[in-house]
Amino acid sequence: MATLTDSVLRALGRFNAAHPWDHNAHYHRWILRQLPSRPERALDLGCGTGDLARLLATRARTVRAVDADPAIVARARELTAPAARVTYAAEDALAATGDDGTYAAVTCVATLHHLPLAPALERFRDRLAPGGTLVVLGLARPETSGDHLLGLLAIPLNAATGWIVNRGRPAPRPAAMTATTRDAEETFAEIALAARRILPGARLRRRLFWRYTLVWRKPADAAGPPFGRRREGDAGPRPVPRSPAATPPVRRGAGPSR
């Protein structure tokens, strides 16, 4: 039985390698729907080849896209039209860049598991403008029976989607799938616990294709209205008092994003 299972998994692996598709890009349009409709400034952390950054630029006045891997940033620049409102930078997602509190939208796709969890969430929070929105698409280490069941369900759907996307023909890997990868260490429960402590009111949900989502809207303060227009009835959580404790020292991420 074990030999049969191994053979099936190897065959699936060969099929998926011949019919690749980008799991992260599957969620890009969903991410856009969570953000302000016309943000003034947007920040994409762990931008990879810039697929999401270019989508953000169709809505935001300016987009800053960063990745720790200089080679993947260079590739993103090559794939981006000169007229696109995107500025790329090869830098750590946790770097102090002097632009805290200025972004109406912050996105992070398949990158959080490359970074120290709590410092990264704190850094993301601090870069948001009052009333701004953070959206994370992440990976978590499977732990519960529900995690494993969702993963098993994704296996045939993954193969079917690869077949449909590539119209049944073998295809090269998308540029976005050439970035460095690593396995997630934190479980969904551990991520949710940290998020609810650092980002009160954050909404987290397990997703298909070995992903989860996190959405958080920073409370608007008395300094001014939220940046960008949000959909009618899409109110954020009520303001929560901030702790006076100092933010822990920022450490560098564990590796290039993805």
Side-chain angles (χ1 to χ4, degrees):
M1 184 65 180
T3 302
L4 178 60
T5 301
D6 290 344
S7 298
V8 170
L9 290 176
R10 285 196 296 270
L12 274 172
R14 290 192 297 271
F15 181 90
N16 292 335
H19 305 87
W21 66 285
D22 187 355
H23 298 151
N24 299 322
H26 175 73
Y27 289 100
H28 283 175
R29 294 291 177 182
W30 179 89
I31 290 171
L32 288 184
R33 292 196 296 271
Q34 313 312 306
L35 298 173
S37 59
R38 290 290 183 268
E40 185 73 17
R41 303 185 73 205
L43 174 66
D44 186 28
L45 297 165
C47 65
T49 53
D51 290 356
L52 179 57
R54 288 186 288 275
L55 276 178
L56 287 169
T58 65
R59 295 188 173 195
R61 186 178 297 274
T62 61
V63 178
R64 179 173 171 79
V66 306
D67 200 291
D69 183 351
I72 208 75
V73 170
R75 182 64 175 142
R77 290 191 178 109
E78 292 173 359
L79 294 171
T80 303
R85 299 187 295 269
V86 184
T87 301
Y88 292 100
E91 67 185 31
D92 194 295
L94 305 189
T97 52
D99 56 359
D100 286 7
T102 63
Y103 292 100
V106 174
T107 56
C108 179
V109 172
T111 298
L112 183 55
H113 66 291
H114 290 270
L115 306 169
L117 178 59
L121 292 177
E122 290 166 349
R123 193 77 190 92
F124 299 172
R125 174 198 65 197
D126 292 344
R127 300 187 83 167
L128 271 178
T133 303
L134 167 68
V135 181
V136 174
L137 177 69
L139 287 75
R141 176 170 58 85
E143 176 190 35
T144 67
S145 57
D147 293 335
H148 292 291
L149 182 60
L150 198 59
L152 286 173
L153 178 61
I155 290 174
L157 291 175
N158 181 61
T161 304
W163 176 266
I164 293 169
V165 167
N166 294 291
R167 300 180 180 180
R169 295 190 293 267
R173 297 176 73 193
M177 294 178 65
T178 61
T180 302
T181 63
R182 64 174 293 180
D183 292 333
E185 296 180 1
E186 291 91 0
T187 65
F188 180 81
E190 291 169 336
I191 295 164
L193 183 64
R196 287 167 181 150
R197 175 176 59 84
I198 297 166
L199 310 171
R203 295 182 285 111
L204 293 95
R205 182 177 173 184
R206 292 175 175 87
R207 299 283 178 174
L208 274 173
F209 306 122
W210 306 280
R211 299 294 187 269
Y212 71 86
T213 57
L214 179 159
V215 179
W216 182 68
R217 291 184 174 87
K218 190 172 187 176
D221 64 10
F227 283 67
R229 301 194 305 273
R230 287 184 288 175
R231 297 180 302 278
E232 183 178 354
D234 193 13
R238 286 177 292 181
V240 176
R242 294 279 298 276
S243 167
T247 301
V250 173
R251 294 184 286 122
R252 292 186 63 81
S257 23
R258 287 292 184 282

